[in-house]
Amino acid sequence: MTLEEIIARKEGQTFDCKSIQIEPKALAIPIVAMANADGGMLAIGVSDKTRRIEGVDGNEERLNDLLRVPFDFCNPSVKIRCEYLPCTDSEGKENRILLIHIPASGQLHTNQADECFMRVGDKSKKLNFDERMQLLYDKGERYYEDKDVYGATINDVDMNLVNDYIQVIGYSKSAMEYLRENNDFVTEVDGQQKISTACILLFGNNPQRFFPRARTRFIRYEGTEEKVGTEMNVVKDVTFEGAILNQVRRTIDYLETQVREHTFLGQDGRFVTNRNYPKFAIQEMVVNSVCHRAYNIKGTEIQIKMFDDRLVFETPGDLPGLVRPDNIRHTHFSRNPKIAQYLKAYKYVKEFGEGIDRICNELETRGSAIPSFHINAFILKATLKAEWTEKDTLATNTDNNVHKDVHKDVHKEITERQALIISMIQDNPNIGRIEMSTKLGVNEKTIRRDLEDLKEKRIIVRIGGRKEGHWEILADNHS
C-alpha cells in the first residue's frame, strides 16, 4: 500500500489511522475489535482526524510501547504483523509510518480491563454480556448446545429416540447410561440433574417447549419475488417441528414433493426426466442449516423459501469462526458439533466440514451454478438456483419439433413413474403389468391406473389382446 492510498482511504471495517501519540491502552481497543471481527490494518503515524503525516521516527519510546500492545494489553495476545512505509512527514522530513496488520482471530480477545470490542463499520463497538456470549459461540470457544436447559428434566427426554440412536452407533449399555456417560447430555451439579441443549434438541419429546423457534418453516412463493400486503404471493406455508432427526427427514421429504420434474423425449428416443433441484443439493442444504444454525437466537426459525427460480435457505446466526462468504467452501467450522455427529451416524453428514465444498463440486460437474451466501443482519442466506424453470421448458418445447403435436407439455402430463413405464415399453413392447409392478416396486393396481392414464392422454396404445398383444407409443408415429 502506498502513502497516497493510505491518505485517500476512508476509515472502515478493516482500516483505521492512529497518531503516534495514542496511549497504548487506547490502541488495544481497535486491535482487539479487528481481531474479533474480520481483521484489518492500522496505520500508526497518521492523524485519524486530519490525516496529517506525523511518522513514527523520533518517538522511539512511544513506538516501543505501541509495539508491545498486542502482547501486553490484549488477552489473549493478538498475532500481528508489522511493516514500515517510508514517507515524508508534514515537516518535510524523511520518516516512516508503521502498518500493523491484524488477522481475523478464531479466539475472543479483550483488553486489559476485560472489555470486549468488535469492529463494526469505522467504530470499535463495546459488546455487552449477551453480545460477548454470542461471539464466544460464533468462535467456537463455547458451544450453546452444551448449555443446560432451564427447567428441563429427564422426563423431557424421549428414551425411544435415545435407544434408536445407540442401536445405530452400536452402544451396548442402556439409554440412561449413554446420556450420563457421553457428551454431557445429562450431568449432575450440586445434587441436581442438568439436561443439555443438545440432549433436548436431539432426544426431547417436545423440544419446542424450551426452544419454540427450533423448527424449520417452508414457504412457497408464486413468482420470483417475495411480496406482502394485498400482493402477498405465498401459496404454501408449512412448519416442521419435533426432534432434529424428525425435522430433517420431514423437511427433505416435503421438499421432494415440491421439486418440479421435466420429462421429455431425448435424442435416443427415450424419455428423460430432469429435476429443477438435485436431491443431493436439497439434502445437503437442509442438513447444513440444521447443523450450523445458532440455537441461542430464539426470535426466528430456519426458513426455506422457494421461488420459481431459486431456493433460499435462511438460517439464524452469523457465519461462525473464521468462515466468511468468500471462504465458506474451504474453511471448516462446526457451530454444533454434537448435532453434526448425531446426523453423521444417520448418514446425513458424510465428512465434517466438507458439505459445502462437496455440493459445489457436484453442481460444477453438472454445469450448474453453485450456491451463493451472504449475511443479512444475523441471518445467513444461502441461495440455490434452479437448474431450469418453467420458462426454460416452454422454450425448449417450442423449439423441439419432435412429437410436439402429442407432447407439448409432457412434463406436466405424466409422472416420473409413468415416464419409467414408457421407457420399459420402449425396451420391451410386450412387457406386462406384473413385470412392470415388480421392477417399479408398486402393486399391479397402481400400474393399471398409470397405463389407463397414459392411454387417455394418447401417449400409448394397446395393440391386440392381453396375452398376445403389445404396447405402442403413439408419439413414435409423429417423429
Side-chain angles (χ1 to χ4, degrees), residues 2-282:
T2 66
L3 180 61
E4 291 75 17
E5 289 173 332
I6 289 176
I7 295 173
R9 185 174 178 179
K10 293 182 179 180
E11 294 180 353
Q13 181 78 14
T14 58
F15 178 74
D16 206 348
C17 295
K18 296 297 178 185
S19 168
I20 183 61
Q21 302 303 325
I22 189 172
E23 290 292 327
K25 65 179 181 181
L27 183 63
I29 292 176
I31 291 178
V32 163
M34 287 183 176
N36 283 336
D38 301 322
M41 183 179 73
L42 294 173
I44 309 298
V46 181
S47 171
D48 56 345
K49 294 183 179 179
T50 64
R51 294 297 174 98
R52 184 172 65 89
I53 306 299
E54 303 170 345
V56 297
D57 292 343
N59 295 277
E60 278 71 21
E61 185 175 350
R62 174 53 59 87
L63 177 61
N64 287 332
D65 289 342
L66 297 184
L67 288 172
R68 290 199 301 272
V69 167
F71 310 98
D72 296 343
F73 289 82
C74 301
N75 184 34
S77 299
V78 178
K79 298 179 181 180
I80 64 167
R81 179 174 63 84
C82 295
E83 64 173 318
Y84 292 93
L85 182 66
C87 67
T88 301
D89 62 27
S90 58
E91 297 179 0
K93 299 178 181 178
E94 295 298 311
N95 211 318
R96 295 180 302 165
I97 292 172
L98 170 64
L99 301 180
I100 299 178
H101 298 274
I102 305 160
S105 176
Q107 296 177 289
L108 181 144
H109 297 270
T110 64
N111 63 6
Q112 267 192 331
D114 196 37
E115 297 170 321
C116 185
F117 295 85
M118 171 78 81
R119 191 72 175 180
V120 181
D122 61 352
K123 305 294 182 184
S124 296
K125 182 183 185 298
K126 184 178 177 179
L127 303 185
N128 60 32
F129 176 79
D130 289 338
E131 292 168 333
R132 182 167 174 169
M133 290 301 297
Q134 180 62 55
L135 188 59
L136 282 169
Y137 296 141
D138 288 343
K139 290 183 177 291
E141 293 195 55
R142 289 192 183 183
Y143 295 108
Y144 185 76
E145 63 178 2
D146 292 334
K147 182 179 173 64
D148 297 334
V149 180
Y150 179 77
T153 70
I154 196 64
N155 293 328
D156 294 302
V157 178
D158 185 341
M159 288 300 177
N160 290 324
L161 295 178
V162 184
N163 279 314
D164 288 344
Y165 182 62
I166 63 178
Q167 287 182 16
V168 169
I169 63 175
Y171 186 83
S172 58
K173 297 182 182 179
S174 70
M176 193 64 213
E177 287 175 301
Y178 174 77
L179 294 177
R180 289 182 177 278
E181 297 177 4
N182 293 272
N183 296 314
D184 292 327
F185 284 135
V186 176
T187 55
E188 193 166 302
V189 179
D190 297 328
Q192 289 189 329
Q193 210 171 53
K194 301 292 184 181
I195 313 297
S196 74
T197 294
C199 184
I200 291 296
L201 291 173
L202 296 175
F203 307 117
N205 50 41
N206 183 16
Q208 284 68 42
R209 174 188 167 196
F210 303 97
F211 305 99
R213 294 296 187 95
R215 61 191 190 189
T216 304
R217 181 182 175 193
F218 172 82
I219 309 171
R220 175 75 170 93
Y221 293 90
E222 185 175 17
T224 59
E225 296 180 21
E226 184 177 339
K227 299 179 181 179
V228 297
T230 58
E231 296 184 331
M232 182 176 287
N233 55 335
V234 174
V235 294
K236 291 184 186 295
D237 192 338
V238 185
T239 299
F240 305 100
E241 297 186 341
I244 290 238
L245 182 61
N246 186 45
Q247 275 193 54
V248 168
R249 284 174 170 169
R250 291 177 61 206
T251 301
I252 292 173
D253 288 346
Y254 189 81
L255 282 172
E256 283 295 302
T257 70
Q258 301 302 303
V259 171
R260 296 186 176 180
E261 296 180 339
H262 171 207
T263 301
F264 59 95
L265 198 61
Q267 295 296 323
D268 60 353
R270 293 177 177 273
F271 277 93
V272 179
T273 299
N274 286 339
R275 299 158 48 102
N276 57 348
Y277 298 102
K279 187 169 185 175
F280 73 86
I282 286 177

